[in-house]
Amino acid sequence: MDAMLTELSRACRLTRAAEDSDAVLGVTPRYVASPADAGEAGALMRVASGNDLAVVPRGLGTKLGWGTPPTRCDLVIDTSRLDKVVEHAAGDLITRVQAGVSLDRLAETAAGAHQQLSLDPPPGCPSTGTIGGVLATGVAGPRRWRYGTPRDLVIGLTLVRADGTIARSGGKVVKNVAGYDLGKLFAGSYGTLGLIVDAVMRLHPQPAAVSYAVTQRDDAQALSEAVAAVAGSELAATAIEVDRESRDGPVRIAVLLEGDPSGIAERSRLLAKLLGEGTRTGPEAPDWWGRSGPATAPGTTLVRFAFWAAALPRAFAAIDAAGHAAGVDPVITGSAATGVLYGLLGPEADPAAAAAFVSGVRAAIAAGELDAHLPGVPHQSLPPSQASAVVLTSPPEVRRSLDPWGPVPGLALMHAVKDQFDPGHIMAPGRFAGGI
Amino acid sequence: MVEDLIPEMVAICGPDAVVTDPLELRTYECDGLTAHRCAPGLVVLPETAKEIAAVVRVCARAGIPFIARGSGTGLSGGALPRTDGVLIVTSRMRKIIAIDPVSQRAIVEPGVTNLSVSTAARPFGYFYAPDPSSQVVCSVGGNVAENSGGAHCLKHGFTVHHVTGLQVVTPAGDLVWLGDGTGAAPGYDLLGAFTGSEGTLGIVTKIIVKLTKIPQLITCLLAAFQTTGAGGAAVSAIIGAGIVPAAIEMMDALAIEAAEMAVACHYPQGAGAVLVVELDGPTADVLADLAKVRALCEQSGATEIRQADDPDERAAIWAGRKSAFAAVGRISPAYIVQDGVVPRSSLGSVLDEIARLSAACGIRVANVFHAGDGNLHPLVLYDDASPEATAAAEELSGAILDLCIAHGGSITGEHGVGVDKSKYMPKMFADTDLDTMQLLRCAFDPVGLCNPGKVFPTPRLCGEVPGARRAPHPLVASGQVDQF
Ligand SMILES: Cc1cc2nc3c(=O)[nH]c(=O)nc-3n(C[C@H](O)[C@H](O)[C@H](O)COP(=O)(O)OP(=O)(O)OC[C@H]3O[C@@H](n4cnc5c(N)ncnc54)[C@H](O)[C@@H]3O)c2cc1C
C-alpha cells in the first residue's frame, strides 16, 4: 500500500485509492476519503496541507461538473458520512445539519414540523444535492424572488481550513451580528476556501396553500411588461418565472403564490385579472418550472445571465442576437423578476457555436447593452458592469474556448482572500473565477 | 503624527472640510454609546468617494489609523475615534443617486439617512425595509457596517438581505465595487462578508439597496398579558402556527410603566407584559392571519386585545414601544441598553433568569425587545452618581450576556460588537474561530489601520503563525506596528 494512503487512512479510517469514476471534470484524484466527523476532516486536511495534496470536496457529486476543472486534484473529500441532522429546533425555525445531508433528507426533517428550507426545487421537482454542495455553489431556484439564495439562509457555519483548523462563525440564532459572517463568504465559493462541515440554516413555515398562475406572451417586450406588473403589484408573489422553448415561440410566465388559503383564492383571482385573458390558475406547477435546476444532464451547456430587472427586454434582445449569430437557439428559462435567466443548450449543440453564443452575449454586456440605464446617473456612480454571463456547466470543448466565469469585478480582493485562507492553493485549485 | 496630515487633507477636501479645533473635535468624541469617549486627532468631511480614497491613501502611506463615522448613533462604540487617528465623517455625502422602481433598486451615498430612502421611494410605491429605530438619523453606510436590523426584520430581513452592491474604499485607498447590483454577481460574496464588518474592512462610498413594495395592508394588534411568560407563550404559539408577522415586540411591566409616564400610551393597566404584533401583506392574507393571532393570544391568556384599524390607531399602539428607551431615562438617572439574542424557544426561561439576577442584586431591569427573533434589549437601570452602582450594573449587564451565550444565543443581535463587547467575543467564539475571521481582515487590511481595536480582542497580526504567543511579534518589538 502506498505510504500516503497509509497516512491518510490514519487521519480518516475510510480512505481508499481513487477510481476513474472519481474524476472531477476529467481530473482523476489519487485518493478518496470519507471523514466521519469534523475531527477526521481536520486531520485529513492537515495531512493534505503537509504534503501539498490538492483537495476537492464532494457531496453527492451533482454539481461537480460545474465550475472549471481543478488544475490538480490528489484527494477527494467525500462528505457522504457527514450525514447527521444535528439539530432541528422547530420552535426556533432553524436546523443544524452536516454538509453531507441531502436536501431531500433535510426537507423530510423540516416537513415533520410543517417547515421547509426555502430553497428550490419546489414540491414536485426531483431535488438534488447536499447542503454542503448547495452552499458551495450558491444555487437557488424560482423562490429566490422571495427567499433569496443559500447565502441568505445560512446563519452559522463550521468549516475546516486548508491547514486543518476547525472554525465556526455565526451561530444558531437568526439575528446575530457578532463577528464576521463567514457563511456569506463560503456560500458560492466552490470549495476553494475550505471544507464546509456543517451549517445552521434558517427554515420557514410551509405555506398553507399554493397556487400557480400560468400564461404567455408573444414577445419579450410584452413579457417584460407582464413581469414588471406582477413584481410591482401588491400580490406578494413568491416566484415569477419565465420560460421560452425557442426564439420564435411564445414566452410562458408562471407566478407562484403562497399563503393562507382564503388569501390565495383572492390573490389568484386578482393575479389572473392582472395577467389577462388565457391565464390558468391552479395548485400544480407547469412542467417547465425550475427546469434549470435538474438540467445538468451530461453535455448540457447551462449559462446564467444576471442583470438589473429593468434590462429584461434588452437581455432577451442580446441573447437572441447572439444566438442567431452563433446559429444556436437555447431554451431560456429563469427568475425574470430577479434579473436571473438561464440559457440551456442540449448535448447536440455544436460546442464552438455554444461558446460563440456566450461570447456574443458578453460582448453585448461589455458594450453596456444590459446595463441598468438610469437616466442622468453618471457611470462612475455605478458598478463597472451591471450584468454577467457565467457558464455554470458545459462540455469540455466549450470551457476550453472561453473562460466560464467571464469578467469578475473585485478579483484582486478575491485573490487576497484566497491567499489568506488557503496560502498553498490546495483547495480545489482552479475551480473558481480568475483561476482561484 | 496625525497633525502632519492637515495640509494634505485640506488639499484633498478643502479647508472647511477639515476639523482641527479641539472644541469642535470633541463633538465627535463618542457615538451613541457615550460611556466610551476619545477626541479624534483630526476630522475630515469629504464630499465624494474620490476624496475618501485620497484621504485613505494619505493615511495608509503615513501609517495613521482611520475610522469611518456616519451619523454616530451606533450603540457599541464602533465609531469611537482615536487621538492618533483620522475620523472620516460621511455626513456631507447625502445624495440619493437613483431610484429604479422596475429593478426595485436605489443607489445612495453613505451619509443618506435610512428613512430618507423610504421617503424617496414612496411615490413609486416602495420602501427600504430594514428600519432601525434610529432610522430618522442613522446613515445607510452605518447600517451596512452594522448589518442593522429593526422591528420589521423578523419578516423582511436585515441590511445584508437588502444590499446588492457596495462601492468601497479599501484600506489601501483603492475604489472598488463589491457586487454589481444584481444580487447574483460572479465570484466570492465579498459584499455579504463586508456587511456587518463594523467599518473594519474599508469605507463604504455608495450603496445599492433593494426596494420593497409597500404592502397592501398593514395592521397591528396590542395584547396584554399577566406575565412575560404568558406573552412568550403567545409568541411561540404564533410562530408555531406558521405565521410570520412583520414584527412581534414585547415590553414588560417596568417598561410599560416608564412609557406610560413618558407618552401616556394608555396600555392596559396593570399588565405584566404587552405584545405588539404587526402583520403586513395582501389584505386577505393579513386578515386571515390577524384572526389567528387574536385567537392564539386569547388562548395564551391575553387579558385584553386591541386592534388598530387605521394608521392613527397603529401609531398609538407603537407610541409606547417607540418611546420605551427614552422613557426609561425618566425613571432612572442612567441605564445600560443591552443587546443579546436567545433562541426564541428559551425566551421564557431567560426572562425568568434575568428577573432572578435583577432581584438578587437589587438592580432594576426593564425589558423591551424584538420577541419574534429572540433579540433582547434589557435596560439595566442604575445611578451613575455611584461608582459601586455603576460597577454592579455593568456586572449584571455582563451576566445577561453570559445567559444568552449559555442558551446558545449571541452577544449582539443588531448593535454590533464595537469596542464595547470585544471582550465577550472569546466567550462566544474559540481562538481558532476568531483567528479564522481575522484572515478576512488580513486580506482587506493587512496593516490594520482601518478602525483598529474594534470587534476583535487583540487579534493576531496578519501573517503571524498560530500558536501560543510567547514574545511580542517582531513587527511590534521593532516599533513598526502597534498591536491593537
Ligand atoms: C435610539 C437608538 C435606536 C437604535 N435602534 C436600532 C435598531 O432598532 N436596530 C439597529 O440595528 N440599530 C439600532 N441602533 C443603533 C444604530 O443606530 C445603528 O447601528 C446604525 O446603523 C448606526 O448608523 P450610524 O450612521 O449612526 O453609524 P455610526 O454610529 O456613525 O457608525 C457605526 C459603525 O459603522 C461604521 N461606519 C459608519 N459609516 C461607515 C461607512 N461609510 N463605511 C464603513 N463603515 C462605516 C463606523 O466606523 C462604526 O463602526 C439604535 C441607536 C439609537 C441611538
Side-chain angles (χ1 to χ4, degrees), chain A residues 91-92 145 151-152 161 167-168 175-177 180 192 231-232 234 260 263 267 308 310 382 385 432 436, chain B residues 103-104 107 160-161 180 188-189 200 213 216 285 288 292 341 344-345 370 375 410 412 414 428 433 436-437:
Chain A
D92 300 320
W145 170 245
R151 59 89 88 174
D152 295 304
R161 269 159 49 186
R168 242 167 18 89
K175 200 169 181 184
N176 176 10
V177 294
Y180 294 153
T192 57
E234 292 166 334
D260 176 83
R267 279 193 282 152
W308 288 39
L382 288 162
S385 166
F432 200 52
I436 289 175
Chain B
S103 297
Q104 312 199 332
I107 310 176
V160 70
H161 301 122
D180 58 8
Y188 293 140
D189 185 7
T200 60
K213 186 72 192 169
Q216 196 167 31
D285 294 71
K292 286 185 221 156
V341 189
R344 184 168 33 225
S345 51
H370 310 302
N375 186 191
S410 169
T412 172
E414 54 181 20
M428 190 165 157
D433 304 338
T436 303
M437 292 179 192

Side-chain angles (χ1 to χ4, degrees), chain B residues 31 67-75 78-79 90 110 132-134 138-139 141-143 145-146 148-150 198-199 202-204 414-415 451:
Chain B
D31 61 6
I67 294 143
R69 175 181 166 113
S71 303
T73 67
L75 291 174
T90 61
S133 330
S134 50
C138 67
S139 72
N143 295 168
E146 300 287 355
S148 295
E198 304 196 24
I203 300 186
V204 179
E414 54 181 20
H415 295 167
N451 208 7

Side-chain angles (χ1 to χ4, degrees), chain A residues 89-93 113 115 144-146 148-149 151-153 159 161 163 165-182 184-185 187-190 192-193 202 204-206 208 228 231-236 258-264 266-267 270 304 306-311 337-340 372-374 377-378 380-388 390 405-410 413-418 420-421 432-433 436, chain B residues 50 97-100 102-105 107 126 146-147 149-150 153-155 157-158 160-161 163 167-168 170 176-193 195-198 200-201 206 208 213-216 239 242-244 281-282 284-285 288-289 292 339 341-346 370 373 375 407-417 425 428-430 432-433 435-444 455-456 462-463 466:
Chain A
D92 300 320
L93 285 156
Q115 294 175 355
R144 67 187 297 148
W145 170 245
R146 162 91 166 264
T149 64
R151 59 89 88 174
D152 295 304
L153 299 172
L159 56 101
R161 269 159 49 186
D163 65 4
T165 306
I166 300 169
R168 242 167 18 89
S169 84
K172 55 178 207 171
V173 285
V174 170
K175 200 169 181 184
N176 176 10
V177 294
Y180 294 153
D181 190 348
L182 301 181
K184 304 275 183 292
L185 187 64
S189 67
Y190 277 76
T192 57
L193 292 175
R202 175 180 194 172
H204 286 94
Q206 277 181 349
S233 78
E234 292 166 334
L235 297 173
E258 295 181 336
D260 176 83
S262 61
I264 289 286
E266 169 72 0
R267 279 193 282 152
L270 293 171
R304 185 183 65 208
F307 45 87
W308 288 39
T338 60
V340 172
H373 285 195
L374 301 164
V377 176
Q380 66 268 24
S381 291
L382 288 162
S385 166
Q386 299 126 52
S388 60
V390 173
W405 298 96
V408 177
L413 275 173
M414 292 176 195
H415 278 291
V417 169
K418 168 75 173 178
Q420 286 291 332
F421 277 82
F432 200 52
I436 289 175
Chain B
K50 278 206 177 107
I97 297 165
I99 301 275
D100 178 353
V102 179
S103 297
Q104 312 199 332
R105 296 289 186 271
I107 310 176
Y126 289 88
E146 300 287 355
N147 187 17
C153 61
L154 176 61
K155 174 171 176 183
F158 314 106
V160 70
H161 301 122
V163 174
Q167 186 194 45
V168 305
T170 67
V176 301
W177 277 91
L178 310 179
D180 58 8
T182 61
Y188 293 140
D189 185 7
L190 298 184
L191 168 73
T195 307
S197 62
E198 304 196 24
T200 60
L201 299 180
K206 277 177 200 75
I208 305 177
K213 186 72 192 169
I214 295 173
Q216 196 167 31
I239 300 291
I243 299 167
V244 184
D285 294 71
D289 281 347
K292 286 185 221 156
D339 169 42
V341 189
V342 295
R344 184 168 33 225
S345 51
S346 337
H370 310 302
D373 35 32
N375 186 191
H407 280 85
S410 169
I411 57 171
T412 172
E414 54 181 20
H415 295 167
V417 177
M425 287 291 274
M428 190 165 157
F429 294 107
T432 46
D433 304 338
D435 284 351
T436 303
M437 292 179 192
Q438 204 59 26
L439 296 175
L440 185 65
R441 174 73 181 274
C442 293
F444 276 79
V455 186
F456 299 101
C462 300

Side-chain angles (χ1 to χ4, degrees), chain A residues 394-413:
Chain A
S394 72
E397 299 79 22
V398 177
R399 258 193 324 263
R400 261 180 242 132
S401 51
L402 88 177
D403 174 4
W405 298 96
V408 177
L411 205 51
L413 275 173

Side-chain angles (χ1 to χ4, degrees), chain A residues 196-371:
Chain A
I196 297 171
V197 177
D198 71 48
V200 187
M201 304 299 295
R202 175 180 194 172
L203 303 173
H204 286 94
Q206 277 181 349
V210 299
S211 173
Y212 295 83
V214 186
T215 187
Q216 65 180 45
R217 290 292 183 272
D218 289 335
D219 58 54
Q221 188 57 44
L223 166 91
S224 304
E225 283 160 19
V227 166
V230 177
S233 78
E234 292 166 334
L235 297 173
T238 300
I240 304 171
E241 292 285 293
V242 301
D243 189 83
R244 195 188 65 181
E245 202 65 58
S246 103
R247 205 151 47 233
D248 304 320
V251 201
R252 303 177 283 206
I253 308 175
V255 179
L256 168 62
L257 300 176
E258 295 181 336
D260 176 83
S262 61
I264 289 286
E266 169 72 0
R267 279 193 282 152
S268 290
R269 199 179 53 73
L270 293 171
L271 183 58
K273 212 165 104 192
L274 183 71
L275 287 172
E277 229 170 282
T279 304
R280 284 175 295 108
T281 62
E284 298 297 333
D287 56 5
W288 52 267
W289 183 263
R291 68 161 143 170
S292 65
T296 42
T300 305
T301 298
L302 175 64
V303 193
R304 185 183 65 208
F305 307 105
F307 45 87
W308 288 39
L312 184 61
R314 287 180 276 122
F316 266 103
I319 288 167
D320 289 351
H324 183 74
V328 292
D329 189 6
V331 167
I332 301 297
T333 188
S335 311
T338 60
V340 172
L341 288 178
Y342 297 89
L344 284 159
L345 286 167
E348 72 290 347
D350 168 31
F357 162 63
V358 176
S359 302
V361 179
R362 283 193 187 150
I365 291 173
E369 287 171 33
L370 270 72
D371 277 356

